[in-house]
Amino acid sequence: MTEHLEPAQHDAVSRCGYVAIVGRPNVGKSTLLNHILGQKLAITSRKPQTTRHNMLGIKTEGSVQAVYVDTPGLHQNGETALNRYMNRTAASALKDVDVVIFVVDRTRWTDEDQAVLERLQYVTGPLIVAVNKTDRIEDKAELLPHLRWLAEQLPNAEIVPISAQHGQNLETLENLVAERLPEGEHFFPEDQITDRSSRFLAAELVREKIMRQLGAEVPYQITVEIEDFKQEGHVLHIHALILVERDGQKKIIIGDKGERIKRIGQEARKDMEVLFDSKVMLNLWVKVKGGWSDDERALHSLGYQ
């Protein structure tokens, strides 16, 4: 039985550690991170594989600093170099972390969930299963047998029903994390919220808007590179290059008379102005670079390392 710490004890003991957020694609890992941090940091969309890199989200509250690691979804499609990179990236987050949060989607269970569960059998540290989107379950009687089944599969795990999108029960989840973090000095300054550069965050925001705009029209062979990022007075000038693999994809992103790329730029700029607290001038253009998503060297040069 875990001994729950009282808030007063949190104040007395400095705690800090890494918390991996893992699960199959599209279960709400990035949404969960954003709601814990209280601001948008990780990009989200309804498309699987939106998250491609591990990213730290740092939350410091009093004497407790939790360093969350948002990971790409662990998936079974390892056909391209990019897919293999994402799987390696997600799996690496399970090493040397202090707590693991396994996010699952309601009572839905897929082969990919099972594959993640099998990897977690080897995790020796504290494990929390966050059963997400429980607010969408119409018949709550369905949930209890599934929670019991999860408890049988992972007998050492704490199981917490949550809604990441609506912030339900996240305080309980955060308290469970805080209790399991080791005692120690904080790794990061109190006001730091991520390890990623502003250029990286800008590129991710552009990619998010493309993912949201295009639906299934363009597959996942797109990436964004920031070629220029400089503050001039009160204005932040950002030039972003969108790389695609084929001419047809370029035409889809640009859209009829440039309408689609204009809309992508407008939406990305709004989020950038909030994130960077500055007026932003954003220039986008699209370039074809055939086969980049299955070329290890190209991936490395584009920051997938």
Side-chain angles (χ1 to χ4, degrees), residues 1-177:
M1 179 109 179
T2 305
E3 182 185 338
H4 286 256
L5 298 172
E6 297 300 321
Q9 288 175 277
H10 281 313
D11 292 338
V13 179
S14 179
R15 293 180 178 274
C16 185
Y18 286 89
V19 185
I21 304 176
V22 300
R24 67 167 165 83
N26 225 27
V27 290
K29 299 182 295 296
S30 297
T31 301
L32 174 60
L33 176 67
N34 289 339
H35 277 265
I36 286 172
L37 296 177
Q39 72 178 84
K40 178 168 180 164
L41 189 65
I43 67 169
T44 61
S45 84
R46 293 184 179 181
K47 314 295 182 303
Q49 300 175 33
T50 300
T51 301
R52 290 182 179 168
H53 307 266
N54 286 348
M55 179 168 69
L56 301 188
I58 305 156
K59 181 162 184 181
T60 308
E61 206 159 57
S63 60
V64 175
Q65 183 174 85
V67 184
Y68 292 92
V69 188
D70 185 30
T71 66
L74 280 158
H75 56 282
Q76 294 176 309
N77 174 8
E79 292 169 8
T80 67
L82 179 60
N83 290 132
R84 293 191 295 274
Y85 163 83
M86 288 192 289
N87 270 341
R88 285 197 307 271
T89 300
S92 71
L94 292 173
K95 298 173 186 171
D96 304 321
V97 293
D98 301 291
V99 181
V100 174
I101 299 175
F102 176 24
V103 185
V104 299
D105 181 350
R106 290 165 283 185
T107 57
R108 292 179 184 171
W109 193 260
T110 69
D111 291 344
E112 288 181 322
D113 289 303
Q114 187 64 32
V116 179
L117 184 142
E118 285 165 14
R119 289 186 186 231
L120 295 178
Q121 309 280 3
Y122 302 101
V123 170
T124 54
L127 175 62
I128 301 168
V129 181
V131 184
N132 194 20
K133 307 179 189 178
T134 50
D135 55 314
R136 297 188 198 169
I137 299 175
E138 289 181 17
D139 183 2
K140 293 292 191 270
E142 291 176 20
L143 185 58
L144 286 173
H146 186 60
L147 296 181
R148 279 197 293 270
W149 180 83
L150 283 169
E152 288 166 11
Q153 306 308 306
L154 296 162
N156 296 322
E158 288 273 1
I159 298 173
V160 191
I162 65 164
S163 168
Q165 188 170 13
H166 298 293
Q168 290 175 5
N169 223 20
L170 296 194
E171 190 176 343
T172 301
L173 178 63
E174 288 188 71
N175 285 339
L176 287 170
V177 167

Side-chain angles (χ1 to χ4, degrees), residues 257-286:
K257 297 176 183 170
E259 278 303 309
R260 181 169 270 150
I261 195 166
K262 183 179 174 185
R263 201 156 60 241
I264 289 165
Q266 286 170 340
E267 292 184 7
R269 183 178 53 77
K270 282 181 197 167
D271 277 4
M272 288 176 186
E273 289 187 337
V274 172
L275 183 61
F276 301 131
D277 194 21
S278 173
K279 182 173 172 56
V280 171
M281 290 288 289
L282 175 63
N283 290 305
L284 302 178
W285 57 94
V286 189

Side-chain angles (χ1 to χ4, degrees), residues 166-193:
H166 298 293
Q168 290 175 5
N169 223 20
L170 296 194
E171 190 176 343
T172 301
L173 178 63
E174 288 188 71
N175 285 339
L176 287 170
V177 167
E179 290 163 8
R180 285 154 181 74
L181 292 177
E183 293 183 19
E185 296 301 311
H186 294 178
F187 302 144
F188 297 95
E190 192 174 321
D191 57 352
Q192 187 172 343
I193 60 159

Side-chain angles (χ1 to χ4, degrees), residues 203 206 210 223-228 239-244 283-289 302:
V206 174
I210 296 168
T223 193
V224 180
E225 200 174 0
I226 301 298
E227 296 205 313
D228 198 23
H239 294 193
L241 177 64
I242 301 164
L243 288 179
V244 296
N283 290 305
L284 302 178
W285 57 94
V286 189
K287 179 180 172 184
V288 178
K289 186 181 175 75
L302 290 165

